Amino acid sequence: MKNAVFLLFIYILIPLFCYSQTTTQIESDSLAKYSFKQLANKYESIRNTNSTIAKIYLDKLYSKANNRKEKITVYLKMCHHEILYGTEEKAFSYIESVYDMVKNEESIELAYVYEKKGYYYYYIKRDFDKALSYYLKALSIAEDKQDKILIIKIEHKIAALYYTLGELDKALKTFNLLYKKIEVAAVSYNLRIGILKSLGNAYLRKHSFYKEQKALLDSSYFFRQKGLQLAIQEKDQNTIAYLEQSLGISSFIKENYATALTHFNNSLKANEVINVKKIFQGNYFYKGKVFLRLKQADSAIYYIKKSEPFFKDSSKKLNQPSTYSLLSECYEQKGDLINAVKYAKLAVVYTEQLYSGNEKIKGSIDQKYTLPKLEKRIQKLEKTLENTSKKKTAWYIFSLVLIVSLILGYLFFRRREQKNNASFQKLLNETKENNSNPVKKAIPEEQTQQILDALEKFERDHLYIEQNCTLSFLAKELNTNTAYLSNIINVYKNQSYTTYINKLRIQYSVKRLKEDTRFRAYTIEFIAKECGFKNAKPFSRAFKKVTNIYPSTFIKNLNKIDSQGN
């Protein structure tokens, strides 16, 4: 019987293996009809979304290379592919091969080789000094040859190097200059989207150091949104999934939880096509954090655990060092102090194991989850648990004494049974009267979503700049009542209606002032009315509250930056 099962298994397996080999061969053979240039374009369009198919295109491209220029092109692409998806040895071999071909000439090809060498030392070796040295050599040749596209590409790499080294002001200055260049230059999609993603990341990282500067977060959101629109236009599911997740994180930081959940769900949907585990995990992790903020502990625990393969396979390590600590917070919020202590202790053990031997990585731990704070939190939880345990014990004793007292009291005061019954009936009637009070019904889920969708459209269409945009007016426009609308804004926007409207108006005014130089020339009174305020005073007060700066100062600084740029 066992032999029969084994033979059946082999019978099924061999055709499947042969089919896989045949499919690869057919895929390769079907590319024979394409020219070298067509294959190169196909490789560029798929290299970031499917590395396996991209490698097939690349191998076929290699066989099509008939002249020196084409061979140089193929070697550079192969080197890039090996840096990202292959081995260090192959990447170095390709870059050295092409370097030997061009090292004795000051050609544009040499600039491309230096650029690729810089990327090799940056991405694989993490030798940033060497990387910068090669980037600068490449830039010198590109500027001498006046190759504008290559100049942009190399400057982007240098700015990314500054970003990695934590020199954010330098990085942002270069990224913003590159953004202005790509707005007028005909650059490839990969280069354009790369610069937009870099700007979004750099602004978000700077905001992590200067949390009071909300404009940094707005800038990050702006560039990521712009990148998302471009990715949707190009049907780049990989970048769509990444940017939707990034926008969700920005919205989470802004405490716009409903918007954050929408972005995370969009990212998950896009990722169903490309199936990148890291994106799945990131979305689940941040959905868990959103639900923790919304005080929905069960949902938070579900998504945080779903984000980590560790909880399905104990042989795998956690990707997020803060996962155990977050779970501890979830269980504490739920009132399950035993599990709260359990996961807090696991957080300490895991953090010690992961970071104890690496000082560089140790310095990057989220400050909220450093070991001293974790240990202090454990002490606090254990003390709370001990106090709770003491209270429970006291309650049990009290309950026992009470029961005994009641029994003795019942025996002793049996003759007063009638009076006790009357008292009991009175108490029962009072309870019924209390229970008869109307209870505020929860808003139906479907109606909640309809109102949230309507609010998104309301925000998108800038209807909040109408001066008569009161709570009752908006409730009427959204076909709901003021109680429902106010409740949903309080829960999902985490703010009052007035704060919500004022914040939208200020964000609108900031964006318009940044983009429209003519708008800045108007008086504060006029700008205030354009943004929905009755006059300049409440506008200036709201502007200062949201941005920590008065509008007049903001306009002055914008004009100063523009004059320096000119």
Side-chain angles (χ1 to χ4, degrees), residues 256 259 452-464 493 495 500 504 507-508:
N256 294 338
T259 305
L452 286 173
D453 292 342
L455 281 174
E456 280 195 25
K457 187 176 188 304
F458 165 75
E459 293 174 12
R460 190 168 57 249
D461 295 342
H462 308 306
L463 298 181
Y464 46 79
K493 302 296 182 180
Q495 54 196 324
Y500 169 64
L504 287 173
Q507 289 170 349
Y508 170 82

Side-chain angles (χ1 to χ4, degrees), residues 204 207-208 211 214 217 224 246-257 260 286 293:
L204 185 65
H207 174 264
S208 69
K211 289 185 170 59
K214 304 297 183 185
L217 193 57
R224 284 173 167 176
S246 300
L247 287 166
I249 294 170
S250 296
S251 298
F252 171 78
I253 295 169
K254 286 182 174 183
E255 299 182 353
N256 294 338
Y257 300 130
Y286 272 97
R293 291 279 182 89

Side-chain angles (χ1 to χ4, degrees), residues 144 170 183 254 264 269 285 384 390 432:
D144 185 54
K170 278 186 179 181
E183 285 293 283
K254 286 182 174 183
F264 292 138
K269 186 176 179 181
F285 181 76
T384 305
K390 286 180 179 178
K432 286 180 179 178

